[in-house]
Amino acid sequence: MLLAGGRGGTRAPDQPRVVQLQISRPRVALPRRQEPLEFVVAMHVEGTPITWQRQATLGRDDEQRMLEAVAGLRRWSGGVGLTRRQAGAAVMDLGRTLRDAFLGTKGRRLLADIDRTALLLLVDETVLHLPWEMMFDTDNAPLVLAPFGRVVTTRVAPPSGRDLSTEDPTVRILAVENPTDDLAASERVMEIIHGLRPANPDLDIEVTTLARRHATRRRFAQTVRAQDFDIVHFAGHGRFDADRPSDSAVLLADGPLSDEQVLKLRWKQPPFVVWNSSCESARVAPGTRIVSNARRSNGLASAFLSRGVEAYLGHYFFVEDTAAAQFSEAFYTTLLRDRNVGRAVQEARRHAIDRFAADGDLTGLGAVFFGDAGTAQRRDLATAS
């Protein structure tokens, strides 16, 4: 009897095998400052009847050591501080610490035995600040070499999503480009986005551009209120302060578009994908909700996700203009070819991670994708387009 897979019980190589790795807190209350962080870690292969789980504790000393490594890498991404050798050592330490603290020996072996097509990290909102994309596998290779996405476990009620069955076949993209007029490489990204139409004749693609002095907060708010977009792309500068995450912003021509303003945007329907190609646009502060009871957001990613955006892509570290443009080029080229956002992020990561081996660039390991990286097997951008 063949229920699934190929003959002799061997599954077809293109059969989906999506792994969910869930890291959740057993307590609803926010963690206190000095208490160890306790978690239940669960691993499940979608379509199977058993979920493996273990208890894990992240000591505050281990957390602090990781945060110090993150701070060093942040300075390195900005061109100061660590040497290249020290940066490599910090990445190795972070990757191993995240793996060992949360997976343990048994979890490492179990994950290594699963030939997965995608990995979804269901991570508690209070530890979103950790660089999960740097987690290693048993062979000390980044888990993000396969499609990898964060799914946030939160106490905030999610808004209802868009109804894919009612979407028209046009892919609508809003490109907010170089508002501060000092990012030359962003022009290349705009050429790529506008070139999507002739390169994909089977798709109906519309591109709206807000560039330079026209990329204002008011015009952006008016544009997303007047029309629904499938993708919103920011190519500009970002701002993040861990002590004041609600002041996080992307800088537009007339000032910062903060996460507080994102929470107040009035749109008929949120975009499917927001690609915020700006420095530290995926950072959040530790130990807090993605949105507080006072309607204050923990960074830009949290603000967009809480407003119904289904996929958000940003940078964890500072990112150089050319590296950000090259990442975007690989992302869009793959996205419209494969019709899959998770695979598009993976392909862009691969190109960028190759540069880390050459010159220590952190773009690939620092790209953060909030969303369902297993969409090739279930629902994805293609359904809407």
Side-chain angles (χ1 to χ4, degrees):
M1 179 182 292
L2 290 177
L3 295 177
R7 297 185 180 185
T10 302
R11 67 183 182 88
D14 60 346
Q15 182 179 340
R17 199 169 179 83
V18 179
V19 176
Q20 295 181 353
L21 177 61
Q22 182 162 4
I23 299 171
S24 56
R25 278 178 51 80
R27 301 179 184 178
V28 175
L30 291 172
R32 297 177 181 177
R33 184 176 296 273
Q34 298 302 324
E35 70 176 1
L37 298 170
E38 297 180 347
F39 300 94
V40 175
V41 179
M43 192 183 307
H44 177 72
V45 180
E46 292 187 356
T48 64
I50 293 179
T51 296
W52 172 86
Q53 70 175 24
R54 73 183 294 261
Q55 290 181 305
T57 300
L58 180 65
R60 289 297 189 175
D61 290 343
D62 286 336
E63 183 194 26
Q64 184 59 37
R65 183 164 57 85
M66 284 196 289
L67 293 180
E68 290 172 359
V70 165
L73 290 173
R74 180 178 182 269
R75 293 191 295 271
W76 163 260
S77 68
V80 297
L82 302 180
T83 65
R84 179 177 165 185
R85 183 175 180 178
Q86 289 171 329
V91 169
M92 291 293 293
D93 183 54
L94 282 167
R96 290 168 175 165
T97 302
L98 287 167
R99 176 195 64 195
D100 297 343
F102 291 96
L103 293 181
T105 302
K106 191 170 183 179
R108 289 167 52 183
R109 293 172 179 169
L110 179 61
L111 188 60
D113 289 339
I114 301 172
D115 184 16
R116 58 190 178 277
T117 55
L119 177 63
L120 304 186
L121 180 70
L122 284 65
V123 61
D124 190 88
E125 61 188 336
T126 60
V127 285
L128 282 177
H129 63 296
L130 296 178
W132 295 102
E133 289 68 25
M134 290 186 173
M135 183 186 285
F136 284 167
D137 63 15
T138 300
D139 297 323
N140 292 327
L143 291 178
V144 293
L145 294 181
F148 180 102
R150 296 189 188 189
V151 178
V152 184
T153 302
T154 177
R155 282 73 174 171
V156 176
S160 57
R162 288 164 66 163
D163 183 357
L164 299 180
S165 64
T166 63
E167 294 289 334
D168 66 43
T170 301
V171 178
R172 295 183 173 87
I173 303 173
L174 174 61
V176 183
E177 183 253 340
N178 198 12
T180 52
D181 202 15
D182 59 352
L183 296 172
S186 67
E187 296 182 5
R188 170 60 182 159
V189 178
M190 293 305 106
E191 292 176 2
I192 294 164
I193 292 175
H194 284 281
L196 294 174
R197 285 173 290 187
N200 296 271
D202 58 323
L203 286 178
D204 186 11
I205 301 174
E206 294 181 0
V207 181
T208 301
T209 302
L210 300 177
R212 297 181 177 82
R213 63 184 178 85
H214 298 293
T216 64
R217 291 172 294 183
R218 180 179 180 182
R219 187 163 293 187
F220 174 76
Q222 290 174 337
T223 302
V224 298
R225 183 179 179 182
Q227 185 176 2
D228 293 335
F229 292 94
D230 299 299
I231 302 172
V232 173
H233 179 97
F234 291 100
H237 292 291
R239 183 182 74 189
F240 175 77
D241 184 347
D243 294 326
R244 303 188 60 165
S246 59
D247 288 341
S248 301
V250 58
L251 303 183
L252 299 188
D254 59 344
L257 176 70
S258 68
D259 49 0
E260 181 179 358
Q261 291 168 312
V262 170
L263 291 176
K264 296 178 181 178
L265 286 174
R266 299 176 63 184
W267 47 38
K268 290 183 294 183
Q269 295 188 104
F272 287 107
V273 181
V274 171
W275 178 193
N276 191 350
S277 183
S278 61
C279 294
E280 300 189 290
S281 53
R283 293 288 300 274
V284 300
T288 187
R289 310 286 188 214
I290 61 170
V291 178
S292 70
N293 292 333
R295 298 299 296 167
R296 298 185 69 83
S297 172
N298 187 6
L300 284 168
S302 298
F304 278 108
L305 293 172
S306 69
R307 290 298 314 281
V309 171
E310 295 196 8
Y312 178 94
L313 179 60
H315 292 290
Y316 191 90
F317 296 107
F318 296 117
V319 60
E320 193 264 333
D321 186 22
T322 301
Q326 291 173 348
F327 190 98
S328 293
E329 180 174 1
F331 172 77
Y332 283 112
T333 300
T334 307
L335 178 66
L336 273 300
R337 181 192 69 210
D338 293 354
R339 312 288 201 270
N340 179 260
V341 66
R343 190 177 296 134
V345 176
Q346 177 203 16
E347 190 65 21
R349 281 193 204 279
R350 285 184 177 276
H351 286 282
I353 288 174
D354 288 342
R355 290 199 304 274
F356 175 75
D359 57 19
D361 181 84
L362 292 172
T363 304
L365 292 174
V368 178
F369 173 56
F370 291 92
D372 188 343
T375 52
Q377 293 79 35
R378 285 175 271 108
R379 56 190 296 268
D380 65 7
L381 185 67
T383 310
S385 61

